[in-house]
Amino acid sequence: QSALTQPPSASGSPGQSVTISCTGTSSDVGAYNYVSWYQQHPGKAPKLMIYEVNKRPSGVPDRFSGSKSGNTASLTVSGLQAEDEADYYCTSYAGSNNLVFGGGTRLTVL
Amino acid sequence: EVQLVESGGGLVQPGGSLRLSCAASGFTFSTYSMNWVRQAPGKGLELVSYITSSSTIYYADSVKGRFTISRDNAENSLFLQINSLRDEDTAVYYCARPGRPYAFDIWGQGTMVTVSS
């Protein structure tokens, strides 16, 4: 069982927005602003999309945004495109140099 | 180009051993912590081990006592010695660089470890 809870699936039509949640506890997501999101296409390595809750690495489209409220972090993908179809994982720092992962969400573009 | 390239995976019997390697290029390897993250078939990501630039080491409870992480800064290389392999160790093993605070900005392509008799 993963430390962070994500919905197993999410979906949206092209052009729509979809939000994926990542629920932790007051010891991880709620305690630190070190939530990250990764995108993984089948057979590929994960790719960092968001770090420190809402920061985007260079090259990541601004259609991807992150936020946090209490013990729940969220990734929002706006203006869905076919290439956004992938698995998405959240992680959070949990203190004492521990990092916890979510179980992943499969995003389907209808 | 910043790059990580893993090698050393393969098919091994339960109880066997493997040594995974990760060759880094394009950045000052010695100044970064480095991590091994694995993904079992059809499953999520799991942090297996990391080693800091000052050689502080962490292991997940699931591998403690069986896996050994090390690094050679002169050769820009990261290693993972995996012993007493179990079926549940079957996974793609990625090396990853935490170029952002508690976030992995560079990943290798992964190396597959299959434990089966």
Side-chain angles (χ1 to χ4, degrees):
Chain A
Q1 187 146 354
S2 302
L4 305 179
T5 301
Q6 297 181 236
S9 63
S11 63
S13 300
Q16 288 187 331
S17 293
V18 64
T19 297
I20 299 170
S21 63
C22 170
T23 301
T25 70
S26 57
S27 298
D28 39 62
V29 174
Y32 305 98
N33 288 324
Y34 291 124
V35 175
S36 304
W37 290 91
Y38 298 87
Q39 177 192 65
Q40 186 179 34
H41 288 109
K44 301 295 186 181
K47 175 186 176 183
L48 180 65
M49 304 302 283
I50 296 287
Y51 67 99
E52 291 183 57
V53 176
N54 56 14
K55 297 180 181 178
R56 278 187 311 276
S58 172
V60 173
D62 60 7
R63 302 185 294 103
F64 291 85
S65 62
S67 62
K68 189 185 85 167
S69 178
N71 297 337
T72 298
S74 299
L75 172 72
T76 297
V77 186
S78 305
L80 268 175
Q81 299 181 5
E83 59 263 34
D84 299 333
E85 185 162 295
D87 293 327
Y88 290 84
Y89 295 91
C90 63
T91 71
S92 175
Y93 182 59
S96 302
N97 289 313
N98 290 327
L99 198 66
V100 291
F101 283 85
T105 297
R106 177 149 296 176
L107 175 60
T108 300
V109 180
L110 301 171
Chain B
E1 180 191 5
V2 177
Q3 196 173 10
L4 298 171
V5 178
E6 302 94 336
S7 61
L11 174 63
V12 62
Q13 293 186 337
S17 299
L18 280 175
R19 190 187 194 217
L20 308 184
S21 300
C22 172
S25 59
F27 64 98
T28 307
F29 178 77
S30 61
T31 64
Y32 285 88
S33 292
M34 292 297 298
N35 294 249
W36 287 101
V37 178
R38 71 182 177 183
Q39 186 172 35
K43 302 296 184 182
L45 302 168
E46 178 189 15
L47 177 62
V48 172
S49 179
Y50 67 72
I51 182 168
T52 68
S53 57
S54 56
S55 294
T56 298
I57 287 172
Y58 161 89
Y59 296 105
D61 287 344
S62 57
V63 307
K64 208 170 289 184
R66 302 186 298 120
F67 289 17
T68 303
I69 192 172
S70 61
R71 65 190 300 162
D72 183 337
N73 291 334
E75 295 294 326
N76 293 329
S77 293
L78 176 72
F79 305 101
L80 187 68
Q81 177 69 40
I82 48 181
N83 298 330
S84 304
L85 278 159
R86 306 168 180 169
D87 290 348
E88 57 264 34
D89 296 319
T90 293
V92 175
Y93 285 73
Y94 296 99
C95 67
R97 183 189 85 168
R100 302 291 183 183
Y102 305 106
F104 305 123
D105 63 337
I106 304 296
W107 295 70
Q109 85 287 355
T111 188
M112 182 72 202
V113 172
T114 303
V115 184
S116 175
S117 53

